[in-house]
Amino acid sequence: RKEVEQDPGPFNVPEGATVAFNCTYSNSASQSFFWYRQDCRKEPKLLMSVYSSGNEDGRFTAQLNRASQYISLLIRDSKLSDSATYLCVANQAGTALIFGKGTTLSVSS
Amino acid sequence: NAGVTQTPKFQVLKTGQSMTLQCAQDMNHNSMYWYRQDPGMGLRLIYYSASEGTTDKGEVPNGYNVSRLNKREFSLRLESAAPSQTSVYFCASSEDVTYYGYTFGSGTRLTVV
């Protein structure tokens, strides 16, 4: 079983829509979690860190449920510029990060 | 700030050739990492260095070697390239992976023919 699993999508939504991505992780010892954004043929860039129960940054909200080993990312009022692949990431015992395969989002006008 | 710099950006090798991918960071980070990214496989850890002078294997180390030359530089060597090593290679560094995650370089696109 892959340590971090995501629905690959693609998610195709109109501008202004709200979209949610889900992610599960298998290692209960994981201490912290992140969402990265990756544009086509570019490097991943940190979008949000996820500590304790979750956090919010503008239109983006990340939530963590340790009991269910589940992480989510909510994007409100989607913009064309939000089109990208979103990577769910778990910290592996403080040594390295484990990446999900990513969820592709396409926002259309 | 340059952040994490990788060279080269693109490379084509013939099967059996060797090459070294270079990575340097100017953020005074202790830990550095090498990943490969393949379609449908996501990012997979090849090797990492938690601090200067130490290196450890990741998920897919076979066919690769690494050198942590100093705190700034972490190189990845392919001794005898194989077509299966065709991939995009990303270097990353971190101040503290638990709290800050990684900063990535822009990647090296390697094709082995």
Side-chain angles (χ1 to χ4, degrees):
Chain A
R1 179 185 170 185
K2 180 74 176 172
E3 291 197 42
V4 177
E5 295 195 40
Q6 300 180 246
D7 180 344
F11 285 64
N12 297 302
V13 302
E15 277 186 292
T18 296
V19 61
F21 305 139
N22 301 320
C23 169
T24 57
Y25 62 96
S26 60
N27 187 347
S28 60
S30 295
Q31 298 170 306
S32 57
F33 306 89
F34 306 89
W35 283 100
Y36 275 73
R37 171 195 169 123
Q38 187 173 24
D39 293 293
C40 187
R41 302 179 72 82
K42 298 287 189 180
E43 73 272 23
K45 293 187 177 179
L46 181 63
L47 178 66
M48 295 182 74
S49 304
V50 188
Y51 306 131
S52 59
S53 60
N55 53 298
E56 183 174 320
D57 183 3
R59 298 183 292 111
F60 299 84
T61 300
Q63 292 192 312
L64 169 64
N65 183 322
R66 287 192 182 274
S68 301
Q69 295 184 201
Y70 171 93
I71 308 155
S72 66
L73 177 68
L74 183 75
I75 305 175
R76 291 179 296 277
D77 188 23
S78 297
K79 312 290 185 189
L80 294 174
S81 58
D82 293 333
S83 297
T85 297
Y86 291 83
L87 306 175
C88 179
V89 186
N91 177 340
Q92 182 185 11
T95 57
L97 300 182
I98 303 298
F99 287 79
K101 294 181 181 180
T103 298
T104 300
L105 172 66
S106 178
V107 181
S108 57
S109 58
Chain B
N1 266 346
V4 180
T5 302
Q6 288 185 239
T7 56
K9 293 191 182 302
F10 302 93
Q11 184 71 49
V12 179
L13 288 179
K14 293 182 178 179
T15 298
Q17 286 185 319
S18 62
M19 79 161 295
T20 300
L21 281 63
Q22 306 286 353
C23 176
Q25 53 92 7
D26 63 0
M27 297 171 286
N28 201 36
H29 288 172
N30 284 320
S31 54
M32 297 185 73
Y33 307 82
W34 278 104
Y35 284 80
R36 60 178 289 174
Q37 188 173 37
D38 303 291
M41 300 297 293
L43 283 155
R44 293 181 291 170
L45 182 64
I46 304 171
Y47 272 93
Y48 67 99
S49 171
S51 61
E52 186 178 355
T54 69
T55 61
D56 286 284
K57 295 179 180 179
E59 181 184 356
V60 289
N62 291 343
Y64 306 95
N65 286 300
V66 290
S67 295
R68 183 75 183 266
L69 303 171
N70 47 56
K71 191 171 185 178
R72 290 187 65 247
E73 298 172 286
F74 188 38
S75 62
L76 179 71
R77 182 159 179 85
L78 287 70
E79 291 291 350
S80 178
S84 61
Q85 294 178 304
T86 294
S87 188
V88 180
Y89 291 84
F90 287 104
C91 177
S93 70
S94 181
E95 177 179 353
D96 182 326
V97 69
T98 299
Y99 297 105
Y100 303 114
Y102 295 160
T103 299
F104 281 93
S106 59
T108 295
R109 293 185 176 275
L110 175 67
T111 301
V112 183
V113 298

